Amino acid sequence: MKLLIMSDTHLPKRGQDLPAQVWDGVAEADVVFHAGDWVLESLLDKLERRAKRVVGVWGNNDGPGLRRRLPEVARLELEGLRIAMTHETGASDGREKRCDKAYPDTDLLIFGHSHIPWDTLTPGGLRLLNPGSPTDRRKQPDHTYLTAVAENGALHDVVLHRI
């Protein structure tokens, strides 16, 4: 199962639309994840029309419309992989231990907020992924998003795409 993972699009402040490369990835993905800070509710509408499946959460910059439609934390299982997604996980110091405690029955935690790509494994074996942002790189050298494959209870072929 092909996954596309993004966060922190901040439309229309940081762009009018997603980059074409991301839309191409959306067309190829079985599931598109967005870890919050959409800002425009119309982006959720557009993704729902174009993607096979969308899983999203709201972020600190998302208004009441997105908060009514999306959870703060999403949990699902794909191909035997237990996934959770939230916008914020707190400071980078101590993140692995906090997430192990907060998400004990999870194999993969997707998060956003910092706009900084992140890929680590916690002491408890939880994979933490932050895709950065495809539209607001802040102090990062590139705009980014992730693709991966979920299969037989495992995540593989994780690729950080730089735009």
Side-chain angles (χ1 to χ4, degrees):
M1 183 168 282
K2 293 179 183 180
L3 313 180
L4 183 138
I5 305 166
M6 70 177 114
S7 187
D8 297 282
T9 48
H10 292 270
L11 297 181
K13 209 172 190 184
R14 299 297 181 208
Q16 294 304 305
D17 199 358
L18 296 177
Q21 180 179 336
V22 175
W23 283 119
D24 291 345
V26 166
E28 295 175 10
D30 296 303
V31 183
V32 174
F33 289 87
H34 192 300
D37 277 3
W38 308 68
V39 181
L40 277 183
E41 193 171 351
S42 60
L43 177 58
L44 175 57
D45 297 333
K46 195 172 182 180
L47 273 173
E48 287 178 336
R49 286 192 302 273
R50 294 177 70 175
K52 292 177 185 98
R53 181 177 179 187
V54 176
V55 178
V57 295
W58 56 262
N60 59 298
N61 285 293
D62 295 326
L66 285 161
R67 289 175 187 234
R68 275 192 298 275
R69 294 174 64 183
L70 298 169
E72 182 177 8
V73 177
R75 295 177 188 272
L76 66 152
E77 187 171 316
L78 294 175
E79 293 287 321
L81 187 69
R82 299 168 302 171
I83 303 170
M85 182 170 57
T86 191
H87 184 62
E88 295 186 55
T89 60
S92 59
D93 287 346
R95 178 176 286 142
E96 284 84 2
K97 288 181 182 178
R98 277 194 317 277
C99 290
D100 268 343
K101 186 176 179 179
Y103 300 93
D105 297 322
T106 305
D107 303 308
L108 168 64
L109 176 63
I110 299 167
F111 67 99
H113 189 61
S114 69
H115 300 223
I116 300 170
W118 186 281
D119 184 355
T120 58
L121 195 63
T122 70
L126 173 62
R127 181 91 176 255
L128 302 177
L129 289 179
N130 183 328
S133 171
T135 53
D136 185 7
R137 64 183 177 88
R138 286 194 182 161
K139 295 179 182 177
Q140 299 303 301
D142 301 296
H143 298 97
T144 57
Y145 68 99
L146 291 165
T147 56
V149 175
E151 184 177 39
N152 297 323
L155 187 72
H156 58 88
D157 296 334
V158 177
V159 177
L160 178 68
H161 298 269
R162 299 177 186 279
I163 303 170

